[in-house]
């Protein structure tokens, strides 16, 4: 990317500010080109075709059962707007109820990062922290993940996982001092939604905190990569629009 030159984009998704719902800090971003961390990872991890189908062509595709289960657990632990999915068992809910909620916790807090002043690319990054709270003068940032702890714990400790770094950078831009940053890993078992099966998808009861200390340098590297990915997505979006005329 050239310095001092604004890269104009045409992304398939735009930031939408909704009065009374969106973070008031981002009112002026309404209508701006938008990318999320999940869009960034799906586009770059061998799912480019699926990304085009879902985000550019508008073919809605439901996520897999593990994504569904993870969302159901995330909705349940959100004390600000708790939603109880009928698939969750009593045992699942008891496991989730046992997770301590620090005083003053805020759930699903919106974070938007403007990449224009950082890299000259006209796009914003939108995300939501699962849970955050003040601990003394520092902000603790937490992500909830349902996972196979034996197989996936190392991933969430590694440089490959940058979601919390990106969110922490955006929170730092708001003036917060970033403290502990971590994933709460919720062990899962089973592989089917069939509740009559012995292999029905459930929480195992294993809950582990996986620390991932904030690195501003890694966050900036990831954000620059997201800016470059947004350029690629925009080019594809423009091409597909021309072909569909």
């Amino acid at each position: 990317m050239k310095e001092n030159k604004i890269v104009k984009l045409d992304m398939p998704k735009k930031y939408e500010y909704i009065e009374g719902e969106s973070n008031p800090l981002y009112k002026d971003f309404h209508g701006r080109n938008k990318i999320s961390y999940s869009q960034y990872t799906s586009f770059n991890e061998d799912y480019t075709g699926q990304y085009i189908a879902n985000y550019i062509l508008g073919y809605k595709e439901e996520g897999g059962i593990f994504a569904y289960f993870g969302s159901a657990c995330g909705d349940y632990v959100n004390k600000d707007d708790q939603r109880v999915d009928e698939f969750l068992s009593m045992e699942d809910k008891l496991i989730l109820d046992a997770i301590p909620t620090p005083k003053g916790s805020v759930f699903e807090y919106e974070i938007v990062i403007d990449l224009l002043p950082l890299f000259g690319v006209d796009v914003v990054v939108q995300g939501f922290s699962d849970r955050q709270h003040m601990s003394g003068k520092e902000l603790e940032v937490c992500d909830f993940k349902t996972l196979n702890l034996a197989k996936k714990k190392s991933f969430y400790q590694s440089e490959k996982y940058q979601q919390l770094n990106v969110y922490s950078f955006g929170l730092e831009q708001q003036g917060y001092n970033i403290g502990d940053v971590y994933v709460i890993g919720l062990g899962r078992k089973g592989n089917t939604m069939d509740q009559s099966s012995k292999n029905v998808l459930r929480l195992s009861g294993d809950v582990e905190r996986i620390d991932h200390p904030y690195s501003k340098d890694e966050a900036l590297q990831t954000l620059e990569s997201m800016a470059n990915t947004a350029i690629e997505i925009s080019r594809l979006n423009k091409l597909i629009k021309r072909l569909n005329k």
Side-chain angles (χ1 to χ4, degrees), residues 11 36 47 49-50 67 84 93 102 104 107 113 126 167 171 173-174 183 186-187 210 225 239:
M11 298 290 285
S36 66
Y47 299 112
Q50 183 176 321
V84 183
K93 289 183 278 191
F107 296 83
I113 304 167
Q126 182 190 33
Y167 291 177
L171 291 164
Q173 283 192 315
Q174 293 182 21
V183 170
L186 303 169
I210 306 169
S225 180
L239 174 62

Side-chain angles (χ1 to χ4, degrees), residues 94 138 149 184 213:
L94 287 172
E138 295 183 328
L149 280 165
I184 291 182

Side-chain angles (χ1 to χ4, degrees), residues 60-87:
K60 299 299 181 184
E61 182 176 297
E62 294 184 5
I65 62 171
F66 297 123
Y68 173 88
F69 185 62
S71 294
C73 291
D75 289 342
Y76 187 86
V77 299
N78 182 352
K79 301 297 171 54
D80 291 339
D81 183 24
Q82 188 181 56
R83 284 166 283 175
V84 183
D85 192 286
E86 61 182 11
F87 180 75

Side-chain angles (χ1 to χ4, degrees), residues 69-184:
F69 185 62
S71 294
C73 291
D75 289 342
Y76 187 86
V77 299
N78 182 352
K79 301 297 171 54
D80 291 339
D81 183 24
Q82 188 181 56
R83 284 166 283 175
V84 183
D85 192 286
E86 61 182 11
F87 180 75
L88 294 179
S89 69
M90 181 60 69
E91 183 179 11
D92 291 332
K93 289 183 278 191
L94 287 172
I95 292 168
L96 296 171
D97 284 336
I99 299 172
T101 301
K103 184 178 179 180
S105 291
V106 176
F107 296 83
E108 291 296 316
Y109 182 80
E110 185 182 23
I111 303 159
V112 181
I113 304 167
D114 190 358
L115 299 189
L116 185 58
L118 292 172
F119 308 110
V121 180
D122 184 21
V123 66
V124 299
V125 175
Q126 182 190 33
F128 297 84
S129 66
D130 283 353
R131 189 188 76 194
Q132 59 188 50
H133 72 280
M134 294 301 299
S135 178
K137 295 183 178 180
E138 295 183 328
L139 185 72
E140 287 193 16
V141 188
C142 165
D143 198 7
F144 292 97
K145 298 291 185 185
T146 57
L147 70 161
N148 182 317
L149 280 165
K151 294 182 178 179
K152 295 294 290 184
K153 177 181 176 180
S154 60
F155 169 78
Y156 289 107
Q157 293 173 314
S158 73
E159 294 181 2
K160 294 179 181 179
Y161 174 68
Q162 289 294 320
Q163 187 173 20
L164 283 178
N165 265 331
V166 168
Y167 291 177
S168 295
F169 178 86
L171 291 164
E172 189 175 60
Q173 283 192 315
Q174 293 182 21
Y176 289 104
N177 294 316
I178 306 300
D180 289 348
V181 178
Y182 51 91
V183 170
I184 291 182

Side-chain angles (χ1 to χ4, degrees), residues 29-68:
F29 289 167
H30 183 77
R32 292 279 303 279
N33 290 298
K34 181 186 81 172
I35 189 172
S36 66
Y37 185 81
S38 60
Q39 290 177 41
Y40 162 71
T41 55
S42 66
F43 187 84
N44 286 292
E45 293 177 2
D46 300 323
Y47 299 112
T48 305
Q50 183 176 321
Y51 179 93
I52 292 171
N54 291 349
Y55 292 101
I56 297 180
L57 298 179
Y59 295 112
K60 299 299 181 184
E61 182 176 297
E62 294 184 5
I65 62 171
F66 297 123
Y68 173 88

